[in-house]
Amino acid sequence: MDTRRQGLARQLVPFLAVAGVSAALWAGWLGWDQERDVHPDGSTTGPYEAWQVVGLGVCLLALVWWGTRYGTRRGWRAEIALGVSAGLTGAAFLDWSDDASGLFMVGVVMVAAGSLAATTLVSVIVRSHFSDPSC
């Protein structure tokens, strides 16, 4: 395999792995809960409970921390943040695409933008903290 293909593989494999793990985390925390809660006054909430979203966030934070911490040594720069964002965006699209109003795309775009911003911020913080060889 030539050097160019090896470089592409070194970038693509971690991206796809992190995207797959992120999508699996979405499915594990949020994907199974599809029913809205109807309150006595007729209002609805959900389908997700706060503990589900917090659980997903904590797992994703750990994934980004680990991926950035150990991926920096392997030359991964943007693969972790982009992989998490791609996995969550794809999972949100698949999970919400049965919405007849078409407004699900607004949520999907918000997931894409928010996850990319958050994972980039966490990656920068982790990378700056662990760039010191004494850590």
Side-chain angles (χ1 to χ4, degrees), residues 55-76:
L56 175 62
V58 169
C59 289
L60 291 172
L61 180 64
L63 176 63
V64 172
W65 179 87
W66 177 85
T68 303
R69 174 79 170 99
Y70 296 103
T72 300
R73 297 178 186 165
R74 292 172 177 82
W76 304 341

Side-chain angles (χ1 to χ4, degrees), residues 32-64:
W32 55 271
D33 192 358
Q34 300 297 318
E35 294 183 26
R36 296 193 175 272
D37 299 324
V38 180
H39 300 284
D41 65 356
S43 64
T44 59
T45 58
Y48 313 126
E49 300 291 333
W51 63 268
Q52 292 172 281
V53 178
V54 170
L56 175 62
V58 169
C59 289
L60 291 172
L61 180 64
L63 176 63
V64 172

Side-chain angles (χ1 to χ4, degrees), residues 57-70 72 77 80-82 84 114-131:
V58 169
C59 289
L60 291 172
L61 180 64
L63 176 63
V64 172
W65 179 87
W66 177 85
T68 303
R69 174 79 170 99
Y70 296 103
T72 300
R77 298 287 178 221
I80 303 301
L82 290 174
V84 169
S115 63
L116 186 58
T119 55
T120 300
L121 178 63
V122 171
S123 294
V124 167
I125 291 169
V126 169
R127 192 173 292 126
S128 69
H129 178 70
F130 288 107
S131 64

